[in-house]
Amino acid sequence: ATALSVKSVGTARLLDSTDEERRRGITIRLSHTSLRYEPERPIFKLSNLLIPPPPQTSLTIIDSPGHHDFQSSVTRALHITPSSLLLVDSLEGVRARTLGVITQSVLAKNVPILVLNKCDKNLVTLRSTLSQINAATATLTKYSTESVQDSYQFTPESDSVIFCAATQCWGITFRDYIRLLVRRSNNPGNYEGGGDKKGKV
């Protein structure tokens, strides 16, 4: 796999390996790259005990086309990875292909994380879009085990949802949002209280 450096984040398009992909901004061929993730210094503490950061992790990311003509590529990618990013257009919501990918993911025993794209254009209806997705996954996992059903219910509080705007190169989770609030306060060590001197955000 090709390694992506930190300096290239937000500018490099290593997964768009052909001129056609770069021109149209879509995925046509299955491609992959590797990322090294090193957590930041811990900013939270519980009971005056700093939580040590986890060790550096190496991630291999596989980019598969979402069009139904490339269904076999999606199936292969889901079977060789333990987790996946389920990318949904927040403007369009659940489509037929979305349901197909979710079904493939369940069969492959793949644990997904929901990525809601185009959030910069659709802040008002994000909650209803998320409810629509959870209703669809509940139907598709109706006869699965309870643990599978739980893994397909996406909530911001469980960090199973990423809100993003791909064209603007940003994405945020609920935990990221809390971290930002803590950093804006004068006491970055207080997690439960939100961080300021009064214990409130």
Side-chain angles (χ1 to χ4, degrees):
T2 303
L4 179 63
S5 68
V6 176
K7 295 181 180 179
S8 301
V9 173
T11 56
R13 299 177 64 179
L14 296 181
L15 300 180
D16 293 336
S17 56
T18 66
D19 292 337
E20 184 71 7
E21 288 180 316
R22 296 188 186 95
R23 184 179 66 83
R24 299 175 60 185
I26 62 174
T27 300
I28 299 175
R29 296 178 54 187
L30 197 70
S31 54
H32 65 282
T33 189
S34 293
L35 300 173
R36 285 194 302 270
Y37 172 69
E38 186 171 356
E40 299 178 0
R41 183 181 180 86
I43 61 173
F44 300 145
K45 66 178 180 179
L46 301 175
S47 301
N48 296 320
L49 178 64
L50 279 176
I51 301 175
Q56 186 182 90
T57 303
S58 178
L59 303 174
T60 298
I61 298 177
I62 301 175
D63 184 22
S64 63
H67 195 273
H68 64 84
D69 289 341
F70 301 94
Q71 182 173 336
S72 60
S73 296
V74 177
T75 301
R76 289 200 305 272
L78 289 172
H79 275 85
I80 62 176
T81 55
S83 184
S84 58
L85 299 177
L86 176 62
L87 182 62
V88 176
D89 188 320
S90 63
L91 294 175
E92 296 182 357
V94 176
R95 297 298 184 191
R97 187 62 193 132
T98 310
L99 300 177
V101 171
I102 294 172
T103 301
Q104 288 177 277
S105 180
V106 173
L107 294 174
K109 298 180 180 180
N110 189 288
V111 181
I113 297 173
L114 176 64
V115 180
L116 289 176
N117 193 22
K118 300 183 181 178
C119 290
D120 56 320
K121 302 177 181 178
N122 186 34
L123 291 175
V124 177
T125 60
L126 280 180
R127 179 174 295 182
S128 61
T129 301
L130 184 57
S131 298
Q132 181 188 29
I133 295 169
N134 281 327
T137 56
T139 301
L140 294 173
T141 60
K142 182 178 181 179
Y143 300 105
S144 301
T145 63
E146 185 176 346
S147 61
V148 171
Q149 293 176 5
D150 291 342
S151 66
Y152 280 84
Q153 286 299 293
F154 306 105
T155 61
E157 302 83 36
S158 65
D159 266 350
S160 57
V161 183
I162 299 174
F163 303 94
C164 77
T167 57
Q168 297 183 17
C169 298
W170 65 261
I172 190 169
T173 66
F174 182 75
R175 183 176 297 181
D176 292 330
Y177 178 68
I178 294 297
R179 186 177 289 116
L180 289 173
L181 291 180
V182 172
R183 284 179 176 175
R184 287 176 64 89
S185 68
N186 295 323
N187 183 8
N190 189 339
Y191 171 74
E192 293 182 331
D196 67 4
K197 296 180 180 179
K198 296 182 180 179
K200 297 180 180 179
V201 176

